[in-house]
Amino acid sequence: MCGGRGTRLESPYEKPLHPIAGTPMVDRVLAGLEVSRIETAFAVVSPNAPETADYLERTDAVRTIETEGEGYVTDLLSALEDPAVEPPVLSVAADLPLLEDAVVDRVLAIHGECEASRTVCVPAALKRRLGVGVDTRLEDAPHLAPTGVNVVGTAEESMTQVSYDPRLAVNVNRLEDARIAEDRCE
């Protein structure tokens, strides 16, 4: 998912292209997915990030799906309408520069053959301890913050998975978050 505006980041780059330790965040996420159990990757882009769409269309690593750019959930639902996309689907936000294959594979292993959808969250306290912003919390569990990693299943049922992995807790929404991500890359 890489079609957001990224206005809070205040970067001269579009959010997915903002470099962390010299590498665009979207490339870091794609690198983690490439060596994971994921078989096919799609980049969900929008008019909000045209340079990101152009950048990704020039690579063979991923096929792009254009959406309206109306937000994570709306764009994800739009991407799911593409005939090439069949649940279960792992969705990952492009602002998770610390994402690695082991993290992805752990989410998939826990999900297993479950038909429900899954939202992966971290404790808001973990995000605060790491010094990154807590921008969103679950309505029914305000002590949990969504990570931007989800599994869209085939059933209407949904589940929450809690992770204590700092690599899932560092979403880059502000320049301070980017500095923290860079420090953790070293």
Side-chain angles (χ1 to χ4, degrees):
M1 301 296 298
C2 48
R5 285 189 174 91
T7 53
R8 292 173 290 176
L9 185 56
E10 298 177 354
S11 171
Y13 303 94
E14 290 178 355
K15 185 175 182 179
L17 297 178
H18 183 85
I20 301 295
T23 302
M25 284 195 289
V26 70
D27 285 346
R28 291 181 164 280
V29 170
L30 286 172
L33 293 173
E34 185 178 331
V35 292
S36 74
R37 293 183 13 208
I38 296 295
E39 295 173 12
T40 305
F42 297 93
V44 179
V45 298
S46 81
N48 296 326
E51 292 172 25
T52 300
D54 290 344
Y55 178 81
L56 292 169
E57 287 171 4
R58 290 191 304 266
T59 180
D60 293 331
V62 66
R63 187 187 130 212
T64 60
I65 296 175
E66 180 80 28
T67 64
E68 297 295 320
E70 296 182 11
Y72 190 97
V73 173
T74 304
D75 288 354
L76 176 57
L77 292 173
S78 177
L80 290 170
E81 293 175 4
D82 189 293
V85 178
E86 294 181 38
V89 171
L90 177 77
S91 69
V92 178
D95 66 0
L96 286 168
L98 304 180
L99 189 73
E100 295 176 353
D101 60 317
V103 176
V104 172
D105 289 344
R106 187 174 314 116
V107 169
L108 296 174
I110 291 169
H111 187 72
E113 299 298 318
C114 182
E115 294 181 3
S117 293
R118 177 176 306 272
T119 299
V120 181
C121 297
V122 295
L126 173 61
K127 291 178 79 72
R128 284 192 300 274
R129 184 172 54 84
L130 294 170
V132 295
V134 182
D135 298 302
T136 308
R137 297 172 188 243
L138 291 187
E139 190 173 304
D140 58 342
H143 65 286
L144 296 177
T147 62
V149 175
N150 302 283
V151 179
V152 179
T154 56
E156 290 185 28
E157 178 185 2
S158 64
M159 309 170 80
T160 301
Q161 175 181 330
V162 179
S163 174
Y164 296 87
D165 192 323
R167 295 171 291 188
L168 287 172
V170 181
N171 295 81
V172 175
N173 290 308
R174 292 174 185 75
L175 287 176
E176 180 59 26
D177 300 337
R179 284 189 282 281
I180 290 165
E182 286 200 11
D183 289 346
R184 296 191 75 83
C185 285
E186 297 173 352

